[in-house]
Amino acid sequence: DAKTTQPPSMDCAEGRAANLPCNHSTISGNEYVYWYRQIHSQGPQYIIHGLKNNETNEMASLIITEDRKSSTLILPHATLRDTAVYYCIVRVGSFGNEKLTFGTGTRLTIIP
Amino acid sequence: NAGVTQTPKFRILKIGQSMTLQCAQDMNHNYMYWYRQDPGMGLKLIYYSVGAGITDKGEVPNGYNVSRSTTEDFPLRLELAAPSQTSVYFCASSRGAEGNQPQHFGDGTRLSIL
């Protein structure tokens, strides 16, 4: 799987949009971009994933650049409960990719 | 709306004891996984299963055993607990292993071996 690079930490004011960047410059054509988060003491929570088009669900939006070498996770109206470590992961789109590889992630702190 | 349920949430074992960590999912997912997470580290895959009766090793299987007799349940067994197995254990499930099938996690079992 391609490696990802994320900033180690970010702050965001409560109520504002949180934009979390991720670089995946070696991504292959069949690799999906995934985002998970881990709130202290809890299991990783799936947020969103995409291949090449931008995606939106009830939690967040995922913007993938046209060359697919980077992406941004957007939490539109951050709340204190969004304070967590956010992981950007790339996964191949075929069988045999059982393992999720979590890097060090971005520690997002929402400021009241 | 249970998703993936793990029990117990916390456990302290003595060296050499054995125990079974329970995992159940109600999403009718074929794939199930066991990971461990050591402090400040990422997740490491212990075992996974592609369906009832079928299991396979991940990257750190030594000291653990699994079984999958039903689609819903995937217990993880520690036979002779060692201090190196002190960790947080997460169970996950997914519909498949393709890149567009997300894994959904339980809240973990925090295990200390003393």
Side-chain angles (χ1 to χ4, degrees), chain A residues 24-86:
Chain A
H24 30 80
S25 58
T26 60
I27 193 169
S28 301
N30 65 344
E31 289 185 309
Y32 286 76
V33 179
Y34 271 79
W35 284 85
Y36 281 81
R37 72 181 181 184
Q38 194 167 19
I39 298 170
H40 182 64
S41 305
Q42 296 181 19
Q45 180 185 21
Y46 164 73
I47 302 173
I48 199 167
H49 73 281
L51 184 60
K52 15 183 196 182
N53 298 323
N54 297 338
E55 301 289 342
T56 295
N57 63 20
E58 65 278 4
M59 289 182 66
S61 294
L62 173 61
I63 308 298
I64 303 174
T65 58
E66 194 168 340
D67 63 7
R68 303 207 327 121
K69 294 185 176 182
S70 65
S71 60
T72 301
L73 177 74
I74 301 172
L75 308 177
H77 305 286
T79 71
L80 298 179
R81 286 179 293 182
D82 292 321
T83 292
V85 179
Y86 287 76

Side-chain angles (χ1 to χ4, degrees), chain A residues 1-2 28 30-32 34 90-98, chain B residues 97-100:
Chain A
D1 292 345
S28 301
N30 65 344
E31 289 185 309
Y32 286 76
Y34 271 79
V90 292
R91 297 182 67 200
V92 297
S94 59
F95 278 106
N97 186 34
E98 298 77 13
Chain B
E98 303 94 324
N100 64 347

Side-chain angles (χ1 to χ4, degrees), chain B residues 72-94:
Chain B
E72 295 78 19
D73 301 299
F74 190 39
L76 176 72
R77 182 149 181 92
L78 283 70
E79 291 293 349
L80 290 170
S84 61
Q85 294 177 305
T86 293
S87 191
V88 181
Y89 291 84
F90 292 107
C91 179
S93 73
S94 66

Side-chain angles (χ1 to χ4, degrees), chain B residues 33-48:
Chain B
Y33 315 81
W34 274 106
Y35 292 88
R36 60 177 286 175
Q37 185 176 33
D38 298 330
M41 307 292 285
L43 276 70
K44 294 183 180 179
L45 183 65
I46 305 171
Y47 271 96
Y48 67 97

Side-chain angles (χ1 to χ4, degrees), chain A residues 6-13 17-21 35 72-73 83-84 86 105-111:
Chain A
Q6 299 177 252
S9 64
M10 293 180 62
D11 293 338
C12 178
N19 295 274
L20 289 85
W35 284 85
T72 301
L73 177 74
T83 292
Y86 287 76
T106 295
R107 184 172 297 277
L108 175 67
T109 302
I110 305 303
I111 310 296

Side-chain angles (χ1 to χ4, degrees), chain B residues 54-65:
Chain B
I54 307 170
T55 63
D56 208 347
K57 296 178 181 178
E59 58 180 324
V60 289
N62 290 343
Y64 307 94
N65 278 302

